[in-house]
Amino acid sequence: MNIRFMLSIAAAVALLLISCDDTTDDIGISLTDNADQIQISSEVFTATSRSVAAKSIVSRSSTGYLGRIIDPETGAHITADFMTQFFCFDGFSMISPDSIANKDANGEAIADSCELRLFYNSYYGDSLATMKLTVYEMGTPMPEDIKYYTDFSPLKEGYVREDGIHKDHAYTLINKSETREKDSTDSYVNNIRMPLNDPYTDKDGVTYNNFGTYVMRQYYSHPEYFKSTISFINHVVPGFYFKMTGGLGSMAYVISPQLNIFYSQRIKADSIASKLTLFSGTEEVLQTTTVSNDEEAISQLVNDKSCTYIKSPSGIFTEVTIPVDEIMKGHENDTINSAKIIFNRINNGQASQYNLPAPTSLLMLEADSVAAFFEGEKVANYKDSYISTYSASLNRYAFNNISGLVTAMYHAKTEGVKSDPNWLSYHPNWNKVMLIPVTTTYTTFDQTSVLSGVSNDMSLTSTRLVGGDTPITISVIYSSFK
């Protein structure tokens, strides 16, 4: 009988066994005649874990985060600031200045008004909390070929225009008269609205009645600046940075920033219509979130050995040491059909409406591969990186088969030590993995959903996992020819 076929049968049987009983003792099973036998066995090992401060993570998300809240678990402040650029679609055009009804003293077209709106689909905290931010005009666009981390501040790094727009704005997340707007279904869409109607002076010293007029005049003088998004960002609007400067209690999840320009168009000699031109922040342009965590509070949780923590954004990861040598001892020539590890969640004992939710998905990958994974915009391949979705009914995260990772770690160590006796001293994390909260994106092909994107979870989440001083079990099933 074909060996590859037999091993595939063994793998199928092994997976069936582990799904039925995570603690099955040694199992022997004969699938063939005496000349061609496969032996299946199982063992249980213990892994160790600890909490690790994340400090900063790659800030790559189509959602921007803006606000300041108190972590109910630690009492510490978490602050998120937000930068966005704006998309200018190909073929963009504006009406002739002759059709603009309102003109200045020199007879040039002007915008009636201008505003920034940050539309958000959800939020955390108290919707009535009074918050305060400062809107900064970017002076130089942030390059797109750089991977930005959550500790990157456009203000500190000199990307904000010193003599540009610096406008304070107070808001609450729910305010029908100020922060809500009807959509096409006549439903209200939550947003933060910031008028830009003060006189505006550009880099060349030219003053306009508002920022919208500046954008219009740039189009009439240099329509080539609007031929592409890159040109628009580099020559007209490099973007805006929204920095929290006051208030406490809410965090908005911004899904659609907009720059809106309102003007009046003359339709006939005696007829005028109100018009709108808008530019949106989309996935095609750069959007980054700057996160500030209380390092002292994070450190206290990291030092708690009774469990391990997972917190986002940019908070705490869980590091797990896989007992690779123990798993492979005596099985160097066997096939690992399955290696299953479960992380049980410890329920939050605090009764509060503001408890942070558990992360929806966790990514497991080698500890030394974290930066390369997110900077390279990779996706989990279930060979050396895996995704587990939180099971509310079982209150846990299960990684059902990380056999490929265990095998790869063992071979890397074996070959490494063979070529260099000091290999282990250069690779102290060779058998360590990291559990990281992530946001996943799926694309549908022929009615099949395929994982197409994995990014750091930038939303507010928190959970405790069994670990620390408590060992974690990992169940392994082997197969070999007898």
Side-chain angles (χ1 to χ4, degrees):
M1 188 175 291
N2 183 276
I3 292 177
R4 182 176 297 177
F5 177 68
M6 290 303 304
L7 288 176
S8 67
I9 293 178
V13 172
L15 291 175
L16 177 62
L17 289 169
I18 198 167
S19 66
C20 296
D21 186 352
D22 293 341
T23 59
T24 305
D25 294 328
D26 289 354
I27 299 171
I29 185 169
S30 176
L31 300 177
T32 63
D33 56 27
N34 292 333
D36 196 10
Q37 289 184 333
I38 293 177
Q39 172 130 351
I40 294 177
S41 62
S42 71
E43 295 186 38
V44 176
F45 303 89
T46 58
T48 58
S49 62
R50 69 185 184 105
S51 301
V52 177
K55 294 186 179 179
S56 66
I57 57 177
V58 174
S59 178
R60 180 174 62 87
S61 173
S62 59
T63 300
Y65 298 87
L66 185 67
R68 178 180 292 134
I69 63 102
I70 293 179
D71 184 341
E73 194 168 32
T74 64
H77 290 184
I78 302 175
T79 304
D81 307 318
F82 174 55
M83 189 289 303
T84 185
Q85 298 172 347
F86 294 99
F87 180 77
C88 182
F89 62 87
D90 294 342
F92 173 86
S93 65
M94 295 187 70
I95 65 171
S96 166
D98 296 334
S99 299
I100 301 294
N102 291 330
K103 306 290 177 62
D104 63 11
N106 297 320
E108 293 190 78
I110 60 174
D112 298 341
S113 63
C114 183
E115 66 181 16
L116 289 165
R117 283 187 187 259
L118 302 179
F119 291 92
Y120 58 94
N121 63 347
S122 60
Y123 65 89
Y124 168 88
D126 183 0
S127 62
L128 297 178
T130 300
M131 310 297 290
K132 183 180 179 181
L133 60 79
T134 300
V135 183
Y136 291 95
E137 175 192 1
M138 300 290 286
T140 304
M142 291 167 53
E144 293 188 5
D145 58 350
I146 295 176
K147 302 300 179 182
Y148 295 98
Y149 280 70
T150 49
D151 59 355
F152 183 92
S153 168
L155 182 60
K156 293 180 180 179
E157 297 298 326
Y159 284 93
V160 166
R161 183 184 164 198
E162 293 185 1
D163 58 347
I165 295 173
H166 293 183
K167 186 177 179 64
D168 295 331
H169 180 73
Y171 67 93
T172 59
L173 290 182
I174 301 297
N175 184 335
K176 289 185 179 181
S177 63
E178 176 69 16
T179 63
R180 309 191 86 189
E181 182 175 271
K182 288 185 178 181
D183 63 12
S184 59
T185 64
D186 207 35
S187 299
Y188 281 101
V189 181
N190 290 324
N191 65 92
I192 303 168
R193 175 180 176 272
M194 292 149 284
L196 297 179
N197 293 325
D198 296 328
Y200 172 76
T201 302
D202 68 13
K203 293 180 179 180
D204 297 325
V206 180
T207 300
Y208 309 85
N209 68 311
N210 60 44
F211 189 78
T213 298
Y214 155 74
V215 176
M216 290 174 60
R217 298 273 184 87
Q218 291 300 303
Y219 176 80
Y220 296 137
S221 300
H222 300 281
E224 68 275 12
Y225 291 171
F226 294 74
K227 294 297 184 182
S228 69
T229 298
I230 294 176
S231 183
F232 177 74
I233 292 172
N234 280 290
H235 295 288
V236 185
V237 182
F240 285 89
Y241 181 51
F242 306 90
K243 180 173 178 58
M244 298 306 303
T245 52
L248 182 67
S250 71
M251 182 81 71
Y253 295 3
V254 180
I255 58 169
S256 180
Q258 285 186 3
L259 171 63
N260 297 329
I261 302 170
F262 300 90
Y263 59 92
S264 298
Q265 181 181 3
R266 189 174 300 281
I267 306 300
K268 298 179 181 178
D270 58 350
S271 179
I272 295 177
S274 296
K275 298 291 184 178
L276 164 67
T277 291
L278 64 86
F279 302 90
S280 296
T282 67
E283 293 183 359
E284 289 81 8
V285 297
L286 189 63
Q287 299 180 70
T288 63
T289 296
T290 303
V291 178
S292 300
N293 271 311
D294 187 324
E295 294 185 5
E296 183 177 349
I298 292 293
S299 178
Q300 290 177 357
L301 296 186
V302 167
N303 292 327
D304 180 3
K305 306 304 180 184
S306 66
C307 62
T308 64
Y309 290 85
I310 300 283
K311 294 181 77 67
S312 67
S314 191
I316 303 176
F317 300 156
T318 287
E319 180 189 85
V320 184
T321 301
I322 306 295
V324 176
D325 284 335
E326 291 87 344
I327 291 172
M328 297 303 301
K329 186 176 181 180
H331 297 279
E332 292 83 357
N333 298 318
D334 296 348
T335 298
I336 299 179
N337 297 113
S338 177
K340 182 176 184 177
I341 186 167
I342 294 173
F343 298 93
N344 292 302
R345 180 172 176 259
I346 302 173
N347 290 328
N348 194 330
Q350 297 178 327
S352 171
Q353 63 175 319
Y354 295 126
N355 283 341
L356 300 179
T360 300
S361 300
L362 294 184
L363 169 72
M364 175 190 286
L365 77 165
E366 293 177 277
D368 288 341
S369 300
V370 174
F373 183 93
F374 289 102
E375 289 186 5
E377 301 183 13
K378 298 179 181 179
V379 297
N381 58 18
Y382 296 92
K383 295 178 181 178
D384 55 19
S385 53
Y386 306 81
I387 297 288
S388 176
T389 301
Y390 172 60
S391 171
S393 60
L394 298 175
N395 202 31
R396 71 186 193 183
Y397 301 89
F399 293 87
N400 290 313
N401 192 359
I402 60 168
S403 58
L405 178 63
V406 174
T407 302
M409 286 178 165
Y410 177 73
H411 287 318
K413 177 215 170 184
T414 303
E415 295 302 317
V417 172
K418 187 184 299 183
S419 61
D420 183 354
N422 296 317
W423 186 88
L424 285 174
S425 63
Y426 305 139
H427 300 84
N429 298 327
W430 72 275
N431 60 345
K432 294 178 174 59
V433 297
M434 206 71 77
L435 301 183
I436 301 172
V438 293
T439 299
T440 56
T441 302
Y442 288 84
T443 303
T444 301
F445 296 100
D446 295 330
Q447 299 182 337
T448 300
S449 293
V450 178
L451 181 66
S452 57
V454 177
S455 59
N456 283 293
D457 192 344
M458 300 292 291
S459 65
L460 293 163
T461 70
S462 179
T463 195
R464 292 180 297 158
L465 302 177
V466 173
D469 290 336
T470 303
I472 307 157
T473 60
I474 176 169
S475 303
V476 181
I477 289 182
Y478 308 90
S479 66
S480 61
F481 282 97
K482 197 171 182 179

